[in-house]
Amino acid sequence: MNNMQQQAVFTTEGPLLILAGAGSGKTTVLVNRIAYILQSGLCNPWNILAITFTNKAAGELKDRICVAVPEGGADIWAATFHSTCARILRRYGDRIGYSSHFTVYGTDDQKRLIKDISKQLGIDDKRTPAKAVISEISKAKDKMQSPQDMLKQAEFDSRKVEIAKIYEIYQARLKTSDAMDFDDLLCNAVELFEQCPDILEFYQRQFKYIMVDEYQDTNKVQYKFVSMLAQKHGNICVVGDDDQSIYKFRGATIENILSFENTFKGAKVIRLEQNYRSTSTILDAANGVISNNTIRKGKTLWTENPKGDKIELHTCDSERDEAMFVAKTIMDGVADGRKYSDYAVLYRTNAQSNAIEQALSRSGIPHRIIGGHRFYEREEIRDMVAYLQVVNNPHDDVRLSRIINVPKRGIGARTVQVAAEIAAGLGESIYSVIKEADSYPQLSRAASKLKGFVSLVDGFLEAEESGDYTLAELYNLIIEHTNYENYLKLEKENPEVRIENIEELSSNIIKFEEDYGDEADLSNFLEEISLLSDIDNYDSESDSCVMMTLHSAKGLEFPVVFITGMEEGLFPSIASMMNPEEINEERRLAYVGITRAKQKLYLTKTKSRMLFGSTTFNKESRFVTEIPDELLEKTGESRMFQTPAGSAASIGIGSKQKSGYSPAKPAFYQKPAIKSGTTYSVGDSVLHKVFGKGMIVSAEKMGNDTLLEIAFEKSGTKKLMANFCKMEKI
């Protein structure tokens, strides 16, 4: 261990703040500190409380402690906040009116209870959805606010008044049911300590040493819990990094770590600034960005690692060009000896994953999405694609059953089941049966609703068959006449994100029409996306690159990292740009993203980007300009365009080319045309740049392209599109 790590291990008495920079070995410090305390005989194992934020982290910490201290290591309290509080409440919850067998309500239980209370109060569940109520109650509990506190703050806001009334009855019903939600575990533990000083004193005596990891992510009630426990001995050690506080939206309070020395008098602060993860170039870039945040403890990461490559800032024409650049760079790297698992692609918002996912899929690059779903597997996308499938083929029973009551039309599951049974008996489709619903006595009660749905579908069929609508116009017609966006707002969690996703599908359709021209019909589009949807699922342990949001990447590290969408309005997000506090948090998010990279970092931005159904021309992200220029290698050829006056002008930055890459529209996004006149047939032997030698075992015509199934000698069987697979026949 280095000198600062040793200081952190040997400082056992009094309050201690360990400011642990990214990649500075904080877990090693925690394990060795606990081992030192036990080996020095300062206390028994059960006198140590180590709190982490996930069960996985707690388990790993305990396992490492047991290796370091075989005797007694298992008796340490190493757990999450929630499990620690639950353990205390199971033992002493009767003192505040709960049995030792109290129930912990999950989200579904909460929803059912809140819907019942809303009905009881005559509150419209559509105006005040259960999910929104749960969110507001959770925020209140994070701040230790009672229903009465919420009611006072609501003043003349009728919606907040309604939520406060629901909150009051909700808490009473929980108590009657001998139940708590997850937030109650923390709040009730604090209440127990406040109402029963003898129990607080018992645990204060027991926990002589308290350690809290990821302290920058704690909220008010979590701070209160640990500070009460630490009052007797004062031996509280918190580990965190104010520069990585990125969870304000979850209730985290960065003030807890910023004000630690004021809260715990005489506190010692130890900074772990030596990084063992990244090159010095990457660290200098991270320091350059985060130094622009003024409200911070302040530290500068350094490393004995080599200087490493410059950070490549690549300017692309569009998000499709950006995605192709990512895919080609990965393929080139793998061809040079890297593994797919060396690569991570990070983005600010999930909607950005769509173009990247398509590029990786089309290039045959194994990948998995962490912290999200594949674009075409998201619920709202599956709903809209199901509508398109039914328009393309109304006798598709599976897709029709999915959307017959989405949005709700009063057509219950039992009605659909009866229609399916009739259809099966007649050997017809469900659509054929419900089209004549009033002819079947079993469906007579629902006949009017079924006929209404049929009329809706028939209208879409007529629009599609008329030839008067483009695919994008047909899609917008479906959104409008189903009132689907309003359904998302009223019925679904995170409606804004879901609406962004269905708008992104509109972007995909527009791009498809541009690429396929006259052959851009509905059937071909559905074939195109079914290819993307049917890509084999890769095992989580397999050699595949990962895609995730910047928030999901915290705590992880990769040899090569791409941070895409480095543009004002996207990152930082447009919602944060007028709020200095929000900008600070966005900058911390950039710092987290940069420090995920160990050896090589790519930053990408576009000249224009179609996102959420519209095209934008954004400036370069301020976070790029905050990186010292000497650390950057700018690539991406400037492209000439004609100004209205007819003179040539240049857009973009830099001109250096790498790996022969040109940012012009990538070939696999152009209208397909077999390259160099090459045609492929079953039985042909081929040589692929990444996958090596193989033989074509099947070839299926798809639009203007051909789907090839190729058995490679070393890489197994892959499915690639002929027009962009870059193979040689041998």
Side-chain angles (χ1 to χ4, degrees):
M1 290 188 293
N2 62 44
N3 289 336
M4 300 309 292
Q5 289 176 324
Q6 290 180 31
Q7 280 190 44
V9 168
F10 298 142
T11 303
T12 61
E13 307 307 303
L16 173 64
L17 168 60
I18 301 175
L19 279 175
S24 61
K26 66 168 185 172
T27 305
T28 298
V29 169
L30 276 176
V31 170
N32 281 282
R33 188 173 189 271
I34 292 170
Y36 175 74
I37 289 170
L38 292 176
Q39 290 165 354
S40 301
L42 296 174
C43 69
N44 294 307
W46 53 87
N47 297 135
I48 297 176
L49 171 63
I51 297 179
T52 64
F53 266 77
T54 67
N55 290 318
K56 183 175 182 291
E60 290 175 354
L61 180 63
K62 200 160 189 176
D63 289 344
R64 290 181 63 172
I65 292 168
C66 289
V67 170
V69 188
E71 292 186 13
D75 295 325
I76 290 167
W77 279 46
T80 64
F81 274 104
H82 290 103
S83 58
T84 300
C85 292
R87 185 172 175 181
I88 293 170
L89 290 167
R90 292 289 180 200
R91 186 171 181 181
Y92 293 112
D94 61 310
R95 299 284 293 273
I96 56 172
Y98 293 89
S99 78
S100 61
H101 302 289
F102 64 82
T103 301
V104 179
Y105 274 13
T107 304
D108 289 341
D109 303 306
Q110 290 177 279
K111 284 181 190 174
R112 282 195 292 270
L113 179 55
I114 286 171
K115 284 183 177 180
D116 187 40
I117 294 169
S118 295
K119 188 175 181 181
Q120 171 190 334
L121 293 174
I123 294 172
D124 185 359
D125 184 53
K126 291 182 179 179
R127 181 176 181 272
T128 312
K131 289 177 183 177
V133 176
I134 291 171
S135 176
E136 291 299 320
I137 291 175
S138 180
K139 289 176 184 176
K141 290 182 179 181
D142 283 348
K143 300 173 185 175
M144 295 187 294
Q145 292 177 347
S146 68
Q148 292 72 32
D149 294 331
M150 183 185 281
L151 191 59
K152 286 178 185 176
Q153 292 183 3
E155 295 183 339
F156 302 108
D157 188 327
S158 60
R159 184 172 177 273
K160 288 186 177 179
V161 169
E162 287 179 346
I163 293 174
K165 290 178 179 177
I166 294 171
Y167 181 14
E168 183 175 20
I169 298 174
Y170 171 75
Q171 287 304 112
R173 292 277 291 272
L174 283 174
K175 195 74 174 281
T176 302
S177 303
D178 192 25
M180 304 180 197
D181 60 26
F182 280 97
D183 295 313
D184 284 329
L185 292 173
L186 288 157
C187 293
N188 287 337
V190 170
E191 182 184 342
L192 174 66
F193 289 164
E194 289 176 335
Q195 293 189 13
C196 308
D198 58 318
I199 295 172
L200 173 59
E201 186 181 0
F202 171 82
Y203 283 108
Q204 285 176 337
R205 287 198 310 269
Q206 175 173 339
F207 297 130
K208 188 174 180 181
Y209 294 96
I210 298 170
M211 278 165 261
V212 183
D213 194 13
E214 302 289 0
Y215 191 66
Q216 77 279 353
D217 293 332
T218 54
N219 58 29
K220 186 175 180 179
V221 67
Q222 289 164 337
Y223 154 76
K224 179 79 171 175
F225 175 73
V226 295
S227 61
M228 291 177 82
L229 284 175
Q231 281 172 0
K232 183 175 181 63
H233 296 289
N235 298 327
I236 179 169
C237 168
V238 302
V239 185
D241 183 1
D242 55 312
D243 290 334
Q244 295 188 70
S245 178
I246 58 174
Y247 294 124
K248 183 180 179 182
F249 67 96
R250 294 182 186 169
T253 307
I254 192 173
E255 287 76 13
N256 288 349
I257 194 168
L258 293 176
S259 62
F260 185 82
E261 297 102 309
N262 295 329
T263 305
F264 299 95
K265 299 302 180 183
K268 183 174 183 178
V269 180
I270 294 176
R271 287 171 167 80
L272 302 183
E273 298 175 299
Q274 183 174 359
N275 176 283
Y276 294 92
R277 175 189 299 160
S278 306
T279 65
S280 62
T281 296
I282 290 170
L283 294 187
D284 289 345
N287 289 330
V289 172
I290 202 62
S291 64
N292 289 275
N293 273 5
T294 53
I295 304 175
R296 58 189 290 258
K297 289 288 186 182
K299 63 182 179 308
T300 302
L301 293 181
W302 62 276
T303 185
E304 293 179 348
N305 292 339
K307 187 175 183 64
D309 294 339
K310 285 189 175 185
I311 294 164
E312 183 168 340
L313 172 64
H314 190 82
T315 304
C316 311
D317 288 327
S318 67
E319 74 285 351
R320 294 185 291 171
D321 180 35
E322 176 183 60
M324 183 53 180
F325 170 75
V326 170
K328 187 180 186 306
T329 303
I330 293 173
M331 291 179 72
D332 288 346
V334 171
D336 290 339
R338 282 199 178 275
K339 298 183 294 184
Y340 289 113
S341 55
D342 286 346
Y343 295 90
V345 186
L346 311 181
Y347 33 81
R348 178 63 182 84
T349 174
N350 272 314
Q352 291 171 254
S353 68
N354 176 30
I356 299 165
E357 186 182 351
Q358 289 192 46
L360 298 185
S361 296
R362 286 175 160 181
S363 299
I365 296 174
H367 61 280
R368 53 196 171 99
I369 298 178
I370 295 177
H373 299 290
R374 288 178 179 270
F375 184 77
Y376 285 100
E377 291 176 355
R378 292 167 182 150
E379 180 186 10
E380 59 276 9
I381 298 302
R382 293 178 69 182
D383 286 344
M384 298 315 298
V385 169
Y387 271 105
L388 292 170
Q389 295 276 13
V390 168
V391 173
N392 188 58
N393 174 19
H395 304 293
D396 184 336
D397 287 351
V398 173
R399 271 55 179 248
L400 185 138
S401 297
R402 179 181 179 88
I403 48 93
I404 193 170
N405 199 40
V406 177
K408 292 178 181 176
R409 301 182 177 90
I411 302 173
R414 177 59 187 159
T415 298
V416 178
Q417 183 182 347
V418 169
E421 290 170 355
I422 294 171
L426 296 172
E428 293 184 0
S429 67
I430 294 175
Y431 178 77
S432 299
V433 169
I434 63 174
K435 206 171 173 66
E436 306 295 334
D438 47 15
S439 301
Y440 304 99
Q442 307 97 307
L443 298 175
S444 58
R445 297 179 68 178
S448 61
K449 294 171 182 174
L450 291 170
K451 299 277 271 190
F453 173 71
V454 168
S455 296
L456 182 71
V457 172
D458 284 349
F460 298 148
L461 286 168
E462 290 173 13
E464 198 272 333
E465 291 169 358
S466 70
D468 295 334
Y469 295 85
T470 66
L471 262 182
E473 289 169 346
L474 175 65
Y475 176 75
N476 290 331
L477 205 65
I478 292 171
I479 294 175
E480 178 185 349
H481 286 273
T482 57
N483 206 16
Y484 190 81
E485 289 188 1
N486 194 50
Y487 156 73
L488 292 177
K489 291 175 184 176
L490 296 177
E491 303 288 338
K492 295 296 179 180
E493 194 172 2
N494 300 322
E496 297 85 3
V497 174
R498 293 172 184 267
I499 290 171
E500 287 176 357
N501 286 335
I502 64 172
E503 289 172 347
E504 186 65 10
L505 180 55
S506 176
S507 298
N508 286 5
I509 293 172
I510 292 169
K511 293 166 192 168
F512 174 81
E513 290 181 307
E514 290 172 354
D515 293 343
Y516 279 77
D518 294 337
E519 293 197 22
D521 60 29
L522 179 57
S523 180
N524 281 340
F525 175 71
L526 294 172
E527 282 184 3
E528 169 93 350
I529 63 172
S530 70
L531 171 65
L532 296 174
S533 301
D534 293 338
I535 293 294
D536 295 337
N537 290 323
Y538 295 96
D539 186 271
S540 60
E541 301 299 319
S542 67
D543 182 21
S544 57
C545 71
V546 295
M547 298 168 52
M548 70 188 87
T549 63
L550 286 152
H551 281 100
S552 298
K554 187 168 178 286
L556 302 176
E557 58 183 45
F558 305 90
V560 185
V561 169
F562 297 87
I563 304 180
T564 60
M566 297 297 291
E567 302 144 33
E568 291 286 300
L570 188 58
F571 187 37
S573 68
I574 195 166
S576 68
M577 290 176 65
M578 301 304 293
N579 186 325
E581 286 187 17
E582 297 292 337
I583 285 292
N584 284 343
E585 178 136 341
E586 292 278 299
R587 187 174 283 110
R588 292 194 291 270
L589 190 57
Y591 173 82
V592 166
I594 292 169
T595 54
R596 296 314 93 196
K598 296 167 70 174
Q599 299 165 9
K600 180 68 179 177
L601 175 64
Y602 293 90
L603 305 177
T604 64
K605 60 190 181 75
T606 64
K607 298 171 186 174
S608 68
R609 181 181 299 274
M610 181 178 280
L611 196 66
F612 313 140
S614 62
T615 300
T616 57
F617 301 86
N618 297 322
K619 295 193 302 181
E620 178 177 274
S621 169
R622 68 190 70 189
F623 305 143
V624 171
T625 64
E626 291 168 356
I627 296 173
D629 198 59
E630 65 270 16
L631 302 178
L632 295 173
E633 179 180 12
K634 299 177 182 179
T635 63
E637 187 179 76
S638 296
R639 184 160 127 186
M640 306 302 290
F641 67 99
Q642 291 300 115
T643 63
S647 60
S650 175
I651 58 175
I653 63 169
S655 60
K656 184 173 179 180
Q657 292 298 300
K658 295 200 72 176
S659 306
Y661 176 78
S662 170
K665 183 182 277 190
F668 70 77
Y669 283 118
Q670 297 168 356
K671 293 180 183 179
I674 300 298
K675 294 185 178 180
S676 305
T678 306
T679 57
Y680 299 100
S681 304
V682 173
D684 285 350
S685 293
V686 294
L687 178 64
H688 189 275
K689 184 175 182 180
V690 173
F691 303 129
K693 292 181 180 180
M695 177 179 288
I696 298 174
V697 295
S698 73
E700 179 184 351
K701 184 72 175 174
M702 299 190 74
N704 282 350
D705 209 342
T706 304
L707 174 63
L708 303 175
E709 186 174 4
I710 308 166
F712 291 100
E713 293 177 358
K714 296 181 179 179
S715 306
T717 301
K718 306 286 183 185
K719 291 182 178 180
L720 304 174
M721 298 304 289
N723 286 355
F724 53 86
C725 57
K726 298 182 180 177
M727 297 187 302
E728 298 176 27
K729 290 170 69 171
I730 56 176

